[in-house]
Amino acid sequence: MRSIGIVGLALAVYSTGGIPLRAQESKGQPGKIVEVATGNALMKTPFGLDFLPNGDAVFADFGSHRILRLDASGKITLIAGDGSAGFADGIADKAKFNAPHNVCVGPNGIIYVSDTLNHRVRRVDPVTGQVTTIAGSQKGQGGDGGPANKARFNELYHVAMEDPAGLIVVDLMNRKIRRIDLNSMKIDSIAGSGKKGPFVEGSQALEACLTDPRAAARGPDGSLWILERGGNCLRRVDPQGTVSTVAGTGNAGPVADGLAAMATLRSPKYLWISRDDRSIWLADSSNHAIRQFDRQKGELATVAGTGKAGKGIAGGDPRSTALDQPHGVAVDSQGRIWISDSENGRILRVEK
């Protein structure tokens, strides 16, 4: 496995190892939570998000079937999608998506979209709004070792940049993590046997029975991190290909901070990895919270949300601000934590 990182923060610069260099990220307890965007006619249910090279946020709006931009002033503008469910390549509002769950941004600013119920990966130029399909065809399974545009997915939920030439995709209903080489446009599976069955600790990546994998991304040390919605846990595939559980007991449970192996998650749906590889932020969606996994301490801590659904008033302690099914979390170049408070139809940010 190659040592690579997550891409897309403002003004990311690549080292020779392919790891994006970022400014400082959030450490210690956050200060206050602010409301960045709400009540916009274009936005209904914000999900996964990332950052364009100029620092603007870009996100998939599940409810409106659009890809949207959020600038520094809080203004939301359309990048692509006509607002209705469907499938069509095209420019800006001539294109169609069907329940997009996530976006990631490549080093050249190109946006990649997991177009979930179209079972495809879409490529979006943020300048022109041009949308093209780069992977996926009909709903199904298979295609490893061949061209990505002939591959079949069954509900593609998550995309993450692996390095300038690699794109990790989560093929949830096929229980596989797959990788697209953006140079050759070939696709291969990198984790998951595709079989339904109990997970066995210490399995090799391609032999592991994954339980409802929802998000995956590669860390700077070459580890592949897999967040399992139905498995209620975070797993790590080490650089040698061995899979182990690092957070969550496997049983759904309430928010409780402490040792990650003993903590519970409830249908987690999104992850974000820090550049220094010390922290992984999780959208613990059905616990209505954002959690932070500290690799060195092996601990899980709550950074936002009360553990109960609600719509908290922004401006105070993020841990006292109720969220409702957050489906996205990202950390920008200033160390601020961005949250897609999905069912409340707003984007929040934790400030220092």
Side-chain angles (χ1 to χ4, degrees):
M1 293 186 179
R2 300 159 65 188
S3 178
I4 40 197
I6 310 306
V7 180
L9 284 172
L11 303 178
V13 178
Y14 277 82
S15 68
T16 56
I19 302 171
L21 304 177
R22 295 181 180 170
Q24 62 180 353
E25 291 171 320
S26 179
K27 294 182 180 179
Q29 285 300 336
K32 65 177 182 179
I33 193 165
V34 300
E35 200 168 65
V36 182
T38 188
N40 185 278
L42 292 172
M43 180 174 68
K44 290 184 179 179
T45 319
F47 271 27
L49 68 162
D50 203 343
F51 303 96
L52 293 169
N54 71 346
D56 288 354
V58 58
F59 62 95
D61 194 276
F62 168 84
S64 73
H65 312 283
R66 293 181 173 111
I67 308 304
L68 302 174
R69 179 198 301 260
L70 174 59
D71 69 17
S73 71
K75 181 181 178 181
I76 293 177
T77 54
L78 176 71
I79 296 178
D82 74 352
S84 65
F87 173 72
D89 286 338
I91 296 176
D93 62 358
K94 304 302 181 185
K96 287 180 178 287
F97 300 90
N98 192 352
H101 272 65
N102 185 39
V103 298
C104 67
V105 179
N108 54 2
I110 293 297
I111 303 165
Y112 297 95
V113 181
S114 54
D115 191 6
T116 304
L117 296 186
N118 278 325
H119 317 286
R120 290 170 167 89
V121 179
R122 316 289 291 280
R123 180 187 187 275
V124 184
D125 186 319
V127 177
T128 65
Q130 178 68 56
V131 178
T132 54
T133 300
I134 66 165
S137 52
Q138 297 178 355
K139 178 181 177 180
Q141 60 180 324
D144 283 351
N149 63 356
K150 300 295 185 182
R152 293 191 177 192
F153 302 98
N154 189 348
E155 297 189 11
L156 193 156
Y157 274 79
H158 192 266
V159 287
M161 290 303 303
E162 188 185 50
D163 61 11
L167 186 69
I168 292 175
V169 297
V170 176
D171 190 2
L172 186 146
M173 297 301 291
N174 285 325
R175 302 181 183 86
K176 284 179 173 287
I177 312 301
R178 305 171 79 179
R179 179 185 185 275
I180 299 169
D181 185 312
L182 295 175
N183 288 329
S184 67
M185 295 308 299
K186 301 292 185 183
I187 188 168
D188 283 292
S189 292
I190 57 174
S193 66
K195 298 176 182 178
K196 187 175 183 179
F199 173 75
V200 177
E201 290 288 343
S203 298
Q204 286 298 293
L206 290 172
E207 298 171 358
C209 293
L210 302 178
T211 308
D212 202 26
R214 180 59 171 73
R218 187 83 71 178
D221 73 347
S223 297
L224 176 67
W225 298 88
I226 303 172
L227 189 64
E228 298 199 359
R229 179 181 66 182
N232 298 294
C233 65
L234 175 67
R235 304 198 202 276
R236 175 182 179 243
V237 182
D238 69 21
Q240 289 71 48
T242 302
V243 189
S244 59
T245 304
V246 296
T249 64
N251 296 315
V255 167
D257 295 344
L259 289 176
M262 301 175 65
T264 51
L265 302 168
R266 192 183 300 274
S267 298
K269 295 188 173 77
Y270 198 88
L271 60 75
W272 182 274
I273 304 173
S274 66
R275 183 195 65 84
D276 62 14
D277 221 11
R278 292 185 177 183
S279 293
I280 300 176
W281 287 269
L282 311 176
D284 191 4
S285 302
S286 293
N287 271 328
H288 315 288
I290 302 300
R291 319 285 292 278
Q292 183 176 357
F293 172 61
D294 186 315
R295 286 192 67 186
Q296 292 185 330
K297 296 180 180 179
E299 294 178 351
L300 202 63
T302 302
V303 296
T306 63
K308 295 182 179 180
K311 189 174 184 179
I313 298 172
D317 185 342
R319 294 162 298 173
S320 300
T321 304
L323 310 174
D324 194 350
Q325 289 286 334
H327 277 69
V329 58
V331 183
D332 69 15
S333 60
Q334 299 178 51
R336 302 174 299 182
I337 303 170
W338 295 64
I339 301 167
S340 292
D341 189 12
S342 303
E343 291 302 317
N344 284 323
R346 62 180 179 172
I347 293 179
L348 304 172
R349 188 172 64 216
V350 178
E351 312 264 336
K352 288 191 173 185

